[in-house]
Structure formats: C-alpha cells, structure tokens
C-alpha cells in the first residue's frame, strides 16, 4: 500500500423505481378487488327452480367459474403483498444509495487530494486508513447491489407464481394451487375464511374509536392488512385511525373500482374522475421528507352528502410529518371539483419553504357544505340556502372532529403539531368541531373570514390556541354577533371580547367590486405568511381585535363600497378626470 487507492466507482442506479412499484401494486389491488366483487355476486347467479341436465350443467359451470375466480383473486392478493414489499425495499435501498454516494464523494475527494501534483506522499498509517475506507465502501456497495438483486428476484418469483396460477386457472382444473402456495391461514389457505371473518369482527368492534383502532392495526402483519384492505376498501379508506398510507391504498382501489364499474354522475362519477385526474397529475411527485409519494387520498366517498361527495386529500404524509395543517373550505365547495386544493398546495409549498421540518397539508371536504351548481335549479338553490343556518356546520363539525382525532391516533412518530384551518362557512364548521371536542388533536385553530362560531369566547370554544384572520373590508366577517346582537351562525371571533389571537391580513379594497375578492384573499401575501408561521410553530404579526363599533357595520361597508364604486365611475367619466387621466 505504497500509494493511495484508486477512486471508488459510483453505485449503480436502481433498476426499478419505488414509484413504479407503487403504481403496479395499485393496479393489482384494483384487479383483486374486482374479482372479490365477482365472488360476492356469485350466489346471485344461481338458478333456483331449474331441473334436470340444464340445472346440473349450470351448477357445475358456476362452481368451476367461482373456483377459478377464487384462485386468481388469491394469487393477485399475494402479488399485491409482494409488490408492496418490493416498494418498501426499493425506498430503503434508494436512501441507502444516497448515503453511499455521499460517502463515495468524501472518500474520492481525499484520494484526489492525496494524488494531486505536489502533494506530499501519505505516511503509511494515513495510506492504510484511506485504503481501509475505500475497501469498506466498496464492500458496502457490493452488499447493497446484492440486496437490490435479491429484492428484484423475490418479486419476480412472486409474479411467476401469479402467472402459474393464471395458467392453471385457464386449464379448467378447479381447486388447483401452485406448489409454493401461501401459508395455512393465508389468502387461499384452508384456515383463511375463518381468519378473515375474525379480522372483520375485530375491525368493526374498534371502528368507532380511532385510538383503539390505530393500536390494533399496528399489531397486524402485512398480509392481514392487505387482505382487509382488499376485502372492503371503501370502509378501510375512510376509517379514522387507520394509517394514512393504508387509507390511501384502499381509496385508490375504490377509485379504480368506480372508474371500472362506471358510476353515474349523480352517484359520484364526477368526483371519481376528478380525483383520478389529481392522482395522475401527482403520480411522479415524491415527498422529500419520506421518499414516498407526495399525494395521499385520506377520504373518498363520492356518493355522500346529497351527491356532492366527500374527500380528504393531502400533500405529504400526516402520520410522519412534523407539522400538519388541515384546511376546511366553506360555501360552494364540492368534492366533484376538489374545491380548495389549490390553497392546500400553496400552503404546503409555503410551509416546506420554511425548512423547519417535514410538513403535510390536507384538504378536508367531507361535509355537506351549502352549494349550488345552478342558480336556476330549485333543489340546488335550496341546498345553497343552508348557508344561513348552522345545521350543516354542526353535522360537519362532528365528522371533522373524528377525522382530526384519527390523524392524532395514527401518528407514527413524535406527536405532530396539528393546525386546523377553517375558511368562511368552513370556519363555522371548525368551530363546531372544536366545541364538540375541546381537547382534540389540534394544537391550533385558525378561523379565516368567519361569519360566526358557536361560542362567545375562545376559551369557551376550545382548549387549543385560537387564531383569527379577518379583513375589515370582508363583509362575511361582519355577520357574526358581537355579544349582544343575534346572528345566524354565531359570534364574531374577530371581536376583542372573543379573546382570540388576531393576526394581520390585507384589509382589502373598498369598492363594491372588491368585497368578494376580500373574502377570498386569505391564502395570499401577508395572510398566507402568517398562517404558515402559525402552522410551523412561529409567531405571526399580530393585529388588534375589533372593539365594538371599531369596524364598519355590514350595511355601512356595502354603502361605502357602492359610493366608492360610483365615485370612481363619475371621476373616470368626468372632463377633469379624463384630462388628468391622460
């Protein structure tokens, strides 16, 4: 070892990307779930009342078909489990490769210095140390390559078994299983039906308790979780307490089933298509904190809420993020157009730019927000009319409280800082969630452009920190009662007497045409910066609460806006105005 070692070559690229494995697993899950639905409707294909040779032939054909479906479903389930495991292994191998690449840069830099012209020869001890580091790195790269090859080989073997089952099913030999079949209680073993039935019962006993469900779910193995997910994806995907990643996988299966089965628009077909478009748009985006996919589908109920649908869609993984923000939009929001997702994306980017840890943001739209697709449809107008009352907010508040508790229960690491944000009628909904669960999982409650909340003080609403963003020229924020006057949706949280922590926002323009924009401006500029600060554990810039009479009453604001707009029109059309305008 008279000289330094030769530079260490770079570790090879992964032959397969974990994102590709995730997509394959999703496709296999959907195929398996479709076969399960075929199995479920199998008994309906019986022909009661048939007699003779035709009846016997029908029964034999039906039994053979269902047996083949069962065999294929079991094989697909095994392929799902194998592909899911491959995805996990590839993600870990990718992280290991990045660490090896960093080590290589460091070692090669030292080798380059040692071999540069004019550099003194290394003493024997330093040379031996550098040789040892280079050898250790080479060995580590070789071990890493072996694990990559093993992961690929294991997955190829699992898919080969799937091909073998498909071939056997095509021969018409009922009940055929490959020699390397699953474990005795596995997806096609003799003990499996009883085992699955027991898992279903255990799940249902815990379904209404997110903390209990989360603790039980952690005790399950990969095969058990996947079997439950495929058995009833629509239930698993919407259960508070099930980990976000498993909910996402189940809901993606449900979306695939809905697209394959062709939901009618009134039953959620538009929601299924819009959600599928969003999943496709983000298919290549990766969470830099986890290496996992960026977008997660936490709730998917396309036919809920009088056809408007219910969804919760997140960027980042709330179970593994340090800071989590959940946004609740208000009136006119519907799952079919994923209303408010652009704000969730803006908030995610803003929080991530702070660089204070991993982040996740979630759009929660799983309540019947008052809305109308058409102002000429009587039923749509009746739906929108609910905005003048708190009934929808009360019902939505109970569902939101369960969702937030579920995020707290499924948190996989140190407890995340959870911030719940409600805008407009969504702030009223969030207020009811806070009131029904004052000691819930949220550390911060942020009320934006609020028309009212169901308590006269922040302390009476929740034990969390209550933050208020209210533009003085936002007419919706003037709808709440100030402690004396009645209001349909509750108390104005921007009032000084409420005791919330009011932060600065753009006050908005004074013209009549600006008023709607004022109400929609809370996710831009100073307001967005302050929401970001709250959600990432920093201090926003404060504003004073409204003293009684400190902000213009609604009628006064509208009158001022009308005069401002009219005055501007008169000025623009006057001789002096046209002259000075030149």
């Amino acid at each position: 070892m008279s000289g330094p070692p030769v530079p260490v070559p770079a570790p090879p690229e992964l032959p397969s990307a974990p994102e590709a494995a995730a997509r394959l697993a999703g496709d296999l899950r959907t195929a398996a779930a479709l076969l399960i639905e075929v199995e479920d409707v199998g008994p309906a294909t019986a022909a009661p009342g048939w007699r003779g040779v035709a009846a016997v032939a029908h029964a034999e054909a039906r039994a053979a078909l269902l047996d083949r479906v069962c065999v294929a479903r079991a094989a697909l389930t095994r392929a799902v489990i194998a592909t899911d495991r491959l995805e996990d292994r590839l993600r870990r191998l990718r992280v290991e490769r990045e660490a090896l690449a960093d080590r290589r840069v460091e070692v090669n830099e030292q080798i380059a210095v040692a071999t540069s012209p004019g550099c003194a020869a290394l003493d024997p001890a330093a040379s031996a140390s550098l040789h040892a580091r280079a050898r250790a790195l080479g060995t580590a790269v070789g071990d890493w390559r072996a694990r990559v090859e093993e992961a690929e080989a294991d997955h190829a073997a699992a898919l080969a078994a799937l091909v073998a089952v498909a071939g056997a099913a095509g021969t018409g030999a009922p009940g055929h299983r490959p020699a390397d079949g699953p474990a005795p209680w596995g997806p096609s073993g003799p003990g499996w039906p009883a085992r699955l039935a027991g898992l279903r019962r255990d799940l249902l006993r815990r379904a209404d308790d997110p903390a209990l469900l989360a603790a039980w779910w952690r005790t399950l193995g990969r095969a058990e979780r996947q079997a439950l997910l495929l058995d009833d994806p629509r239930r698993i995907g919407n259960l508070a307490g099930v980990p976000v990643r498993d909910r996402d996988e189940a809901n993606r299966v449900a979306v695939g089933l809905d697209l394959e089965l062709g939901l009618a628009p009134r039953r959620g077909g538009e929601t299924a298509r819009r959600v599928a478009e969003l999943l496709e748009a983000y298919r290549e985006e990766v969470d830099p904190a986890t290496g996992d996919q960026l977008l997660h589908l936490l709730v998917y109920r396309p036919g809920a809420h009088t056809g408007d649908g219910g969804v919760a869609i997140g960027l980042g993984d709330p179970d593994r993020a340090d800071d989590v923000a959940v946004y609740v939009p208000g009136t006119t929001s519907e799952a079919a157009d994923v209303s408010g997702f652009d704000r969730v994306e803006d908030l995610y980017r803003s929080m991530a730019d702070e660089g204070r840890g991993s982040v996740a943001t979630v759009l929660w739209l799983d309540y019947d927000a008052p809305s109308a697709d058409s102002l000429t449809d009587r039923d749509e107008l009746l739906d929108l009319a609910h905005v003048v009352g708190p009934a929808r907010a009360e019902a939505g508040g109970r569902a939101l409280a369960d969702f937030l508790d579920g995020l707290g229960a499924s948190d996989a690491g140190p407890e995340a800082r959870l911030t719940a944000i409600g805008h407009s009628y969504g702030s009223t909904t969030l207020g009811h969630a806070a009131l029904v669960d004052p000691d819930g999982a949220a550390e911060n409650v942020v009320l934006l452009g609020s028309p009212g909340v169901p308590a006269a003080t922040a302390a009476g609403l929740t034990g969390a920190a209550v933050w208020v963003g209210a533009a003085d020229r936002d007419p919706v924020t003037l709808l709440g009662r100030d402690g004396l006057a009645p209001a349909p949706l509750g108390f104005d949280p921007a009032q000084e007497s409420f005791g919330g922590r009011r932060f600065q926002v753009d006050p908005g323009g004074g013209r009549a045409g600006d008023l709607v924009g004022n109400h929609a401006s809370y996710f831009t500029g100073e307001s967005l910066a302050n929401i970001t600060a709250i959600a990432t554990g920093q201090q926003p810039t404060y504003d004073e609460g409204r003293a009684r009479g400190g902000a213009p009453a609604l009628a006064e604001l509208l009158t001022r806006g009308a005069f401002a707009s009219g005055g501007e029109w008169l000025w623009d059309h006057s001789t002096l105005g046209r002259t000075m305008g030149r």
Side-chain angles (χ1 to χ4, degrees), residues 2-4 109-123 126 130:
S2 58
E109 284 178 350
Q110 293 180 353
I111 294 173
V113 170
T115 57
S116 62
C119 181
L122 292 174
D123 63 72
L130 191 53

Side-chain angles (χ1 to χ4, degrees), residues 11 80 127 195 260 295 308 336 362 395 468 518 527 537 542 558 565 568:
V80 167
S127 178
R195 175 63 174 154
E260 290 291 336
L295 188 139
D308 289 344
V362 179
V468 182
N518 295 344
S527 179
Y542 286 87
L558 295 176
S565 298
E568 183 174 310

Side-chain angles (χ1 to χ4, degrees), residues 317-539:
D317 185 346
D319 286 346
R320 292 181 282 176
D322 300 314
D323 294 316
V324 179
V326 176
Y327 169 59
V328 185
T331 306
T332 73
S333 300
E334 293 185 3
D337 57 11
V338 198
S339 305
F341 187 76
D342 55 339
R343 295 174 176 177
V344 163
E345 183 173 30
D346 290 343
L347 182 57
Y348 174 83
R349 307 297 179 194
S350 181
M351 290 171 62
D353 287 346
E354 290 296 303
R356 300 178 66 86
S358 55
V359 303
T361 57
V362 179
L363 167 70
W364 184 85
L365 187 44
D366 191 22
Y367 79 111
D368 201 358
S371 61
D373 294 327
S374 169
L375 297 182
T376 60
D377 186 292
R378 177 178 176 275
D379 291 338
E380 295 284 343
L381 289 174
L382 288 175
D383 189 348
L384 183 61
H386 284 90
V387 73
V388 300
R392 298 280 181 88
E394 290 174 0
R398 290 190 291 272
L400 176 59
D402 288 342
F403 178 79
L404 296 174
D405 284 346
L407 291 185
S410 63
D411 200 326
E415 186 175 355
R417 179 187 293 106
L418 178 57
T419 300
I421 305 163
H423 174 244
S424 191
Y425 197 85
S427 74
T428 307
T429 301
L430 176 56
H432 282 279
L435 191 65
V436 78
D437 190 11
D439 298 319
E443 180 177 324
N444 297 299
V445 169
V446 180
L447 308 171
L448 304 173
S450 180
V453 293
T457 65
L461 185 69
T462 177
V466 179
W467 305 85
V468 182
D472 281 334
R473 291 173 179 155
D474 173 3
V476 176
T477 69
L478 301 175
L479 294 174
R481 74 186 82 170
D482 62 7
L484 294 176
L489 297 180
F491 298 89
D492 176 9
Q495 290 287 330
E496 187 177 23
S497 60
F498 182 77
R501 308 176 191 183
R502 189 177 177 194
F503 57 88
Q504 290 185 0
V505 302
D506 185 345
R511 298 172 64 252
D514 296 329
L515 300 185
V516 172
N518 295 344
H519 184 58
S521 66
Y522 291 99
F523 282 84
T524 60
E526 187 175 25
S527 179
L528 177 60
N530 281 325
I531 296 169
T532 299
I534 294 166
T536 55
Q538 304 174 77
Q539 290 299 313

Side-chain angles (χ1 to χ4, degrees), residues 4-356:
V6 297
V8 180
E13 296 290 338
L14 279 173
S16 302
E19 292 76 28
R23 289 195 294 271
L24 175 59
D27 291 342
L28 291 170
R29 283 190 193 92
T30 301
L34 282 167
L35 289 178
I36 289 173
E37 295 218 350
V38 172
E39 287 183 272
D40 290 342
V41 301
T45 63
W50 281 30
R51 297 288 185 273
V53 176
V56 172
H58 176 273
E60 290 177 349
R62 174 174 165 274
L65 174 63
L66 291 179
D67 187 79
R68 293 180 194 177
V69 168
C70 178
V71 171
R73 186 265 305 158
L76 279 169
T77 303
R78 293 177 62 204
V80 167
I81 295 167
T83 308
D84 189 53
R85 183 166 182 260
L86 174 67
E87 179 193 353
D88 286 345
R89 293 169 80 176
L90 290 175
R91 292 193 188 283
R92 289 195 296 270
L93 288 165
R94 184 163 61 185
V95 172
E96 290 176 17
R97 186 192 180 281
E98 292 171 355
L100 289 171
D102 291 342
R103 285 177 59 188
R104 171 181 173 269
V105 169
E106 182 181 350
V107 169
N108 283 354
E109 284 178 350
Q110 293 180 353
I111 294 173
V113 170
T115 57
S116 62
C119 181
L122 292 174
D123 63 72
S127 178
S129 175
L130 191 53
H131 272 280
R133 292 188 64 193
R135 282 196 307 272
L137 180 55
T139 300
V141 170
D143 291 343
W144 178 83
R145 293 183 66 148
R147 290 196 300 278
V148 171
E149 292 170 0
E150 180 185 26
E152 293 273 312
D154 288 349
H155 187 247
L159 295 188
L162 174 60
V163 173
V165 168
T171 67
H176 182 84
R177 302 289 190 274
D180 60 339
W185 69 268
S188 62
W192 173 244
R195 175 63 174 154
L196 180 58
L199 289 172
R200 288 176 185 146
R201 290 192 297 270
D202 290 342
L203 176 75
L204 292 175
R205 281 197 292 266
R206 298 165 174 82
D208 295 328
D209 188 327
L212 198 62
L213 178 60
W216 174 75
W217 192 268
R218 293 186 185 103
T219 68
L220 302 179
R222 185 189 302 270
E224 294 169 301
R225 295 195 303 270
Q226 289 294 330
L228 282 170
L229 188 157
L230 293 173
D231 180 61
D232 196 351
R234 300 181 197 282
R235 181 188 299 276
I236 298 300
N238 297 311
L239 272 181
V242 171
V244 165
R245 181 170 173 177
D246 292 328
R247 293 176 71 167
D248 175 73
E249 290 176 355
N251 284 324
R252 287 172 187 259
V253 170
V255 173
L257 289 174
D258 288 346
L259 293 176
E260 290 291 336
L261 299 174
L263 282 181
R266 290 296 296 177
R267 293 184 53 243
E270 290 299 324
T271 300
R273 282 187 284 276
R274 181 67 185 97
V275 169
E277 290 171 359
L278 201 58
L279 293 175
E280 177 62 24
Y282 279 84
R283 65 182 296 179
E284 302 296 338
E285 297 238 17
V286 175
D287 184 348
T290 65
D292 202 348
Q293 62 197 19
L294 181 62
L295 188 139
H296 292 87
L297 184 56
L298 286 77
V299 171
Y300 174 69
R301 302 201 300 146
H305 310 309
T306 61
D308 289 344
V311 296
I313 306 175
L315 295 175
D317 185 346
D319 286 346
R320 292 181 282 176
D322 300 314
D323 294 316
V324 179
V326 176
Y327 169 59
V328 185
T331 306
T332 73
S333 300
E334 293 185 3
D337 57 11
V338 198
S339 305
F341 187 76
D342 55 339
R343 295 174 176 177
V344 163
E345 183 173 30
D346 290 343
L347 182 57
Y348 174 83
R349 307 297 179 194
S350 181
M351 290 171 62
D353 287 346
E354 290 296 303
R356 300 178 66 86

